Amino acid sequence: MSYAVVSLLLTVLDLYWWVVIISVILSWLVAFDVLNTRSQAAQTIWRAVDALTEPLLRPIRSVLPAVGGLDLSPLILLLGIQFLQNLLSHSVG
C-alpha cells in the first residue's frame, strides 16, 4: 500500500478513536445526569456520536456480555483500532 493511503487510513482511525472516547464520556454524563438529554444540542450530539459508533459496537456487544453492569465493548473496539493502526503502520515500514 502506498504511504498516502496508509497515512489517510491512520488518520481516519485516529479520528474514530476520539469519537469512541467521546461516546464513552457522553454515556457517563448521561448516566450520572450531568448532561440534560432534553436539550436539543445534547440530543443532536448524542445521535451523531451514536450513529457513528453503534454499528461497530453492536456486534461486539452481542458476543461480549456486560461484566458487572459494565459495557466493555468500547474498550474492545479501541483495542481493535489500536491493532489496526499498528498493523497499518508496520505494513509501510
Side-chain angles (χ1 to χ4, degrees):
M1 244 188 281
S2 74
Y3 177 76
V5 172
V6 171
S7 179
L8 177 66
L9 288 173
L10 288 172
T11 302
V12 168
L13 286 172
D14 191 42
L15 289 172
Y16 196 75
W17 170 278
W18 286 108
V19 170
V20 173
I21 296 293
I22 290 168
S23 171
V24 169
I25 292 170
L26 282 176
S27 71
W28 290 344
L29 292 175
V30 168
F32 292 118
D33 207 24
V34 174
L35 185 65
N36 184 359
T37 55
R38 291 180 296 266
S39 163
Q40 184 66 30
Q43 284 181 3
T44 302
I45 293 169
W46 180 260
R47 279 191 298 246
V49 170
D50 191 54
L52 289 170
T53 58
E54 197 58 31
L56 291 179
L57 290 174
R58 190 177 309 117
I60 297 170
R61 285 187 188 123
S62 68
V63 175
L64 183 71
V67 178
L70 291 175
D71 181 16
L72 298 178
S73 59
L75 177 64
I76 301 301
L77 181 56
L78 291 175
L79 289 172
I81 292 170
Q82 185 66 44
F83 175 77
L84 284 174
Q85 286 176 324
N86 288 338
L87 192 68
L88 284 171
S89 64
H90 291 309
S91 70
V92 173

